[in-house]
Amino acid sequence: MKIAVDMELCIGSGTCAMTAPAVFDQDQDEALVVILDPEPPPEQWEAVRSAVRHCPAAVITVLD
Ligand code: SF4
């Protein structure tokens, strides 16, 4: 699994960081998403997929 985020469209809701905190964090200044682990291990995949589903801006993409 590889993760990509369209930073131009992230609205800084923080949903991803709450859903998958081992994979996503937020920038301290603008609260925009920071990808901590762009290729997370299998034990994180369910949380990542949940973050994809719940991202209010639909900007997280799972590449494989
Ligand atoms: S859930 Fe989506 S919009 Fe919210 S911080 Fe994460 S990537 Fe950005």
Side-chain angles (χ1 to χ4, degrees):
M1 171 184 278
K2 294 182 182 178
I3 299 169
V5 175
D6 186 341
M7 296 299 296
E8 298 285 319
L9 298 176
C10 172
I11 60 172
S13 69
T15 308
C16 56
M18 288 186 282
T19 306
V23 178
F24 301 102
D25 198 355
Q26 286 179 278
D27 174 73
Q28 293 293 318
D29 296 324
E30 298 180 88
L32 300 180
V33 63
V34 174
I35 300 178
L36 299 175
D37 189 351
E39 296 187 33
E43 58 266 28
Q44 291 296 324
W45 291 0
E46 185 174 336
V48 169
R49 291 196 170 103
S50 180
V52 170
R53 285 194 303 274
H54 292 98
C55 172
V59 297
I60 307 170
T61 303
V62 171
L63 300 176
D64 59 30

